[in-house]
Amino acid sequence: LNSKIEEFDKIEDLYRVFDDFLPIIENYFKEKSAQKTASLTDNIIEYIEQNYLDKNLSAKTISDKFDMNTAYINRLFKNKTGKSIGDYINYYRIDKAKVLLKDSDLTIEELALSLGFSNKKYFYVLFKKITAMTPNEYRINTWFKKYSFLGWVSLNLVVYDF
C-alpha cells in the first residue's frame, strides 16, 4: 500500500482517485443491500404463505423467527412491498377466504377460524374493509356470477349478516 501511495506526486492526485472509486464502492454496497432486502422480503413472504393459518402469526413472531428487530424488519418489508407485514398477512388471508367462500360450504365462523383469525367479528370487519363487501355478500355475488351463464336473471338482494 505504501508503494502505491508513493506513486502519487501530490495529495490531490490521491483525492482524485478516491473521488473516482468512492461512487463505485458506494453503488456496490447499495446493490448488495438491496439484494439482501429482496431476499429477506422473499423469505418473509414464503414464511407467511406457509404459516398463514397460525392465529399467532404477526410481525413480532416473524421478526423472532428471523432473529431481527420487529420495527426494522417491518420497515424493510414495507419499503419493498408497500404493505406492513401485518397488512400483508391480512390481505393474504382474505385472498384465501375469497377462494373458500366461492368453493366451500364452510360457515363464515368456521372459515374465519380456519384461516387464523381469532374471531368472526374481526374477520367480518377486515373482509369488508378490504373487499367493500361482507363475506356473505361476496359468497352470494360469486354464486350469481358462477351460475349466470345459465341465463338466470340477476336479483337485487339485501343480504343480512348476523
Side-chain angles (χ1 to χ4, degrees), residues 10 43-44 46 59 148:
K10 296 183 251 172
N43 289 340
I44 292 170
E46 183 178 337
S148 67

Side-chain angles (χ1 to χ4, degrees), residues 127-128 132-142 158-159 161:
F127 193 93
K128 184 157 186 168
M133 291 184 226
T134 67
N136 283 331
E137 288 170 338
Y138 184 86
R139 180 175 265 165
I140 290 169
N141 193 0
T142 57
V158 176
V159 177
D161 288 316

Side-chain angles (χ1 to χ4, degrees), residues 3-19:
S3 64
K4 291 289 183 192
I5 293 172
E6 289 172 2
E7 292 177 15
F8 298 103
D9 294 328
K10 296 183 251 172
I11 190 88
E12 289 80 16
D13 295 337
L14 185 59
Y15 286 150
R16 263 192 298 281
V17 170
F18 280 131
D19 285 344

Side-chain angles (χ1 to χ4, degrees), residues 81-130:
T81 65
K83 290 187 177 102
S84 69
I85 291 173
D87 284 347
Y88 190 91
I89 292 167
N90 286 333
Y91 276 81
Y92 190 80
R93 286 176 172 163
I94 294 301
D95 283 345
K96 294 296 184 183
K98 288 179 189 177
V99 173
L100 290 174
L101 284 166
K102 188 171 52 170
D103 298 335
S104 80
D105 292 331
L106 292 173
T107 67
I108 303 303
E109 186 168 10
E110 291 169 337
L111 190 142
L113 295 175
S114 74
L115 290 171
F117 290 99
S118 54
N119 64 62
K120 178 175 102 172
K121 185 173 180 164
Y122 177 66
F123 172 70
Y124 263 81
V125 169
L126 188 63
F127 193 93
K128 184 157 186 168
K129 178 182 172 188
I130 292 174

Side-chain angles (χ1 to χ4, degrees), residues 4 11 48 55 78 108 129 143 147:
K4 291 289 183 192
I11 190 88
I48 290 169
K55 70 178 181 175
K78 188 167 187 169
I108 303 303
K129 178 182 172 188
W143 186 84
Y147 293 105

Side-chain angles (χ1 to χ4, degrees), residues 1 47 101 107 144:
L1 183 63
Y47 186 80
L101 284 166
T107 67
F144 274 112

